[in-house]
């Protein structure tokens, strides 16, 4: 029995309709995150990925690009980034801010920020044969990871837009209304790829955060260790400053 045959009548069409309607949201995201226009090349959106400082030096010269995460992340295997307009939203995961260009013009998007699309995904989830194992056994993490990947593979979803599900304790870096992205890379067989992403180009270190974070026990928050200024480093010109640092080949230092 194929995966499509497992779906209740009309559900496949509802998922496809959600993907079609999500194109508008992706288009708006692109417009909000465009790079500085440079003569002779297309103007593309910019993504930001914060990595541990031990990897910072790798992104100061020619590199392999962004790595595809395969842990039990929110939407499964993929590259998790934010747009340049929210440059420090995931700075709690590392002190090295890597910026890269990407071209999503032909991507299929699923906007998981809307309640309607969340309900559609949950309905799809409940239709899967392993749904009970995913909820009722000690192997929940294993099965949910498989199901998240399967959903994206079945509908060839290139990117999922979703709200943050982990925050810095003071709320200085991550806002609940920010947008995070889970980006898919594909094998020739239509399955999610591993290792280095081919979706992002010209990855380079563009920002270094002074603050360092620790995971809080038992909750999905991370607390800053320094808080030297006892205030958020975010300001109205921060996104532009990171964008210009990337364009100019410099590194912006973001104070604690």
């Amino acid at each position: 029995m194929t995966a499509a045959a497992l779906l209740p009548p009309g559900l496949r069409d509802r998922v496809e309709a959600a993907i079609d309607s999500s194109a508008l949201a992706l288009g708006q995201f692109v417009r909000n995150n465009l790079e500085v226009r440079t003569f002779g090349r297309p103007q593309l959106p910019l993504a930001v990925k914060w990595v541990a400082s031990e990897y910072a030096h790798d992104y100061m010269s020619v590199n392999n690009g962004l790595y595809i995460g395969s842990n039990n992340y929110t939407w499964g295997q993929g590259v998790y980034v934010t747009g340049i307009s929210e440059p420090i939203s995931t700075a709690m995961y590392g002190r090295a801010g890597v910026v890269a260009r990407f071209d999503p013009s032909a991507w299929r998007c699923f906007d998981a920020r809307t309640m309607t699309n969340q309900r559609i995904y949950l309905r799809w989830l409940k239709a899967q044969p392993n749904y009970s194992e995913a909820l009722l056994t000690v192997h929940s993490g294993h099965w949910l990871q498989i199901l998240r990947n399967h959903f994206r593979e079945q509908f060839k979803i290139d990117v999922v837009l979703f709200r943050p599900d982990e925050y810095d304790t003071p709320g200085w870096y991550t806002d609940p209304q920010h947008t995070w992205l889970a980006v898919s890379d594909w094998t020739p067989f239509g399955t999610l790829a591993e290792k280095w992403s081919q979706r992002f180009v010209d990855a380079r270190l563009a920002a270094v955060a002074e603050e360092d974070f620790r995971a809080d026990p038992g909750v999905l928050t991370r607390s800053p260790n320094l808080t030297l200024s006892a205030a958020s480093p975010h300001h109205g010109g921060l996104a532009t400053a990171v964008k210009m640092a990337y364009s100019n080949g410099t590194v912006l230092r973001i104070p604690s």
Side-chain angles (χ1 to χ4, degrees):
M1 182 179 293
T2 65
L6 297 172
L7 299 182
L11 182 53
R12 170 174 286 276
D13 290 340
R14 291 193 66 187
V15 176
E16 289 291 349
I19 292 171
D20 290 342
S21 65
S22 296
L24 292 175
L26 180 59
Q28 185 61 57
F29 179 88
V30 168
R31 290 188 291 274
N32 291 343
N33 290 280
L34 289 173
E35 65 183 329
V36 175
R37 187 179 295 277
T38 302
F39 180 77
R41 73 176 187 180
Q43 187 182 26
L44 296 178
L46 297 177
V48 182
K49 183 174 181 64
W50 289 87
V51 302
S53 55
E54 63 186 289
Y55 303 115
H57 190 267
D58 296 342
Y59 291 99
M60 297 177 68
S61 59
V62 177
N63 56 76
N64 291 321
L66 303 184
Y67 197 76
I68 300 169
S70 58
N71 291 335
N72 292 337
Y73 297 133
T74 309
W75 281 94
Q77 186 167 299
V79 180
Y80 285 74
V81 296
T82 65
I84 195 73
S85 63
E86 296 163 354
I88 60 172
S89 185
T90 58
M92 59 187 168
Y93 296 125
R95 298 176 68 182
V98 177
V99 175
R101 306 168 71 231
F102 65 105
D103 181 4
S105 56
W107 287 8
R108 284 166 59 85
C109 173
F110 185 79
D111 186 1
R113 299 172 301 179
T114 74
M115 188 65 69
T116 297
N117 288 353
Q118 290 172 16
R119 291 193 183 106
I120 290 172
Y121 171 67
L122 290 174
R123 187 179 174 195
W124 176 91
L125 200 63
K126 291 177 182 178
Q128 304 311 303
N130 297 322
Y131 178 70
S132 295
E133 285 86 347
L135 266 65
L136 301 175
T137 73
V138 72
H139 308 295
S140 292
H142 168 77
W143 284 114
L144 285 173
Q145 176 79 349
I146 289 176
L147 291 171
R148 291 163 185 151
N149 290 343
H150 179 46
F151 177 72
R152 289 160 57 212
E153 289 174 344
Q154 182 175 350
F155 293 99
K156 304 303 177 189
I157 295 170
D158 296 294
V159 60
V160 178
L161 308 180
F162 65 102
R163 298 297 184 197
D165 52 7
E166 193 168 20
Y167 308 90
D168 64 290
T169 306
W172 293 340
Y173 292 76
T174 309
D175 186 282
Q177 292 304 307
H178 282 172
T179 296
W180 291 2
L181 283 70
V183 177
S184 309
D185 278 76
W186 302 105
T187 70
F189 309 103
T191 56
L192 290 168
E194 299 178 336
K195 298 187 177 179
W196 298 103
S197 174
Q198 302 301 309
R199 296 291 204 172
F200 300 90
V201 297
D202 303 326
R204 191 181 66 75
L205 180 70
V208 172
E210 191 174 60
E211 190 57 78
D212 184 45
F213 291 84
R214 65 184 182 277
D216 298 323
V219 292
L220 296 178
T221 57
R222 293 177 181 243
S223 293
N225 290 317
L226 299 176
T227 61
L228 298 181
S229 65
S232 172
H234 180 76
H235 56 79
L238 182 59
T240 299
V242 177
K243 184 188 299 188
M244 293 305 299
Y246 177 74
S247 177
N248 296 332
T250 58
V251 177
L252 179 71
R253 290 161 175 79
I254 300 175
S256 166

